[in-house]
Amino acid sequence: MTNNDIFRRIRYTFDLKDNTIVKIFALADVSVTQEQVTAWLKKDEDDAFVTMKNKELASFLNGFISFKRGKREGPQPAPEAQLNNNMVFQKLRIALNMKAEDILEVFDQMGLPLSPHELSAFFRKPSHKNYRECKDQMLRNFLMGVQRQLRPNDNG
């Protein structure tokens, strides 16, 4: 999944308006315009489409954590220059305040039952022997499962 795909799915799942997204970036101490947000949300083939960089998605996710859980005191976390699905998954887990049981239920409802050990492997450090890379399909299914929970009458 591209950063733009992840960004679009989060926006849709949580029904975030462009002005709300600008505010979410501001919670991460990053200033963006509604025009930038619109360009990131365009379809890839659109001439006005702009690729979202890792730091931009990381900033959005950091702001999303503050948006969902409240802004923490002191300096905000610096956005990561390198971002992978495991990091995106972890940030979403934190933002949504989900425990392992909640996440396992999401995957179960998507027809992808996981064991607690399989799930915890996604949140380990890459140097850990039991670390497991979160593939696009897993992240996509997680986002779709959360979307189904929040918007049950939506088929999108």
Side-chain angles (χ1 to χ4, degrees):
M1 293 178 72
T2 67
N3 290 342
N4 295 70
D5 290 334
I6 295 166
F7 184 61
R8 280 186 213 111
R9 284 180 188 265
I10 292 170
R11 176 185 189 262
Y12 179 77
T13 297
F14 295 95
D15 195 22
L16 302 172
K17 306 295 181 234
D18 292 358
N19 61 337
T20 303
I21 291 172
V22 170
K23 291 175 187 169
I24 289 172
F25 272 100
L27 290 171
D29 297 335
V30 175
S31 178
V32 299
T33 64
Q34 285 198 355
E35 291 74 25
Q36 283 175 288
V37 171
T38 302
W40 289 324
L41 293 168
K42 298 272 184 207
K43 295 287 182 203
D44 298 15
E45 55 276 356
D46 192 307
D47 289 342
F49 171 80
V50 174
T51 301
M52 187 176 224
K53 295 179 178 72
N54 284 333
K55 268 193 162 179
E56 293 163 339
L57 181 59
S59 294
F60 171 74
L61 291 169
N62 290 345
F64 191 61
I65 291 170
S66 296
F67 177 72
K68 296 299 277 180
R69 299 191 60 171
K71 191 168 181 175
R72 70 182 199 189
E73 294 296 317
Q76 297 306 299
E80 294 81 357
Q82 295 300 315
L83 202 58
N84 63 33
N85 286 350
N86 295 65
M87 296 162 84
V88 170
F89 194 6
Q90 174 77 329
K91 286 177 181 287
L92 289 170
R93 181 182 73 84
I94 292 167
L96 302 175
N97 199 22
M98 294 181 88
K99 306 285 181 255
E101 304 80 49
D102 304 325
I103 298 170
L104 292 172
E105 183 180 323
V106 167
F107 281 112
D108 218 33
Q109 290 175 350
M110 292 301 295
L112 290 169
L114 288 178
S115 74
H117 298 296
E118 289 173 306
L119 177 63
S120 68
F122 292 127
F123 303 120
R124 298 187 185 282
K125 292 186 177 181
S127 58
H128 193 281
K129 68 177 183 147
N130 292 326
Y131 171 83
R132 180 175 170 198
E133 181 186 347
C134 181
K135 303 277 190 208
D136 285 351
Q137 180 186 4
M138 293 302 288
L139 186 58
R140 189 177 299 114
N141 275 291
F142 174 71
L143 287 166
M144 285 172 47
V146 170
Q147 179 181 316
R148 281 187 186 173
Q149 284 183 341
L150 295 174
R151 301 174 82 149
N153 298 328
D154 233 350
N155 296 329

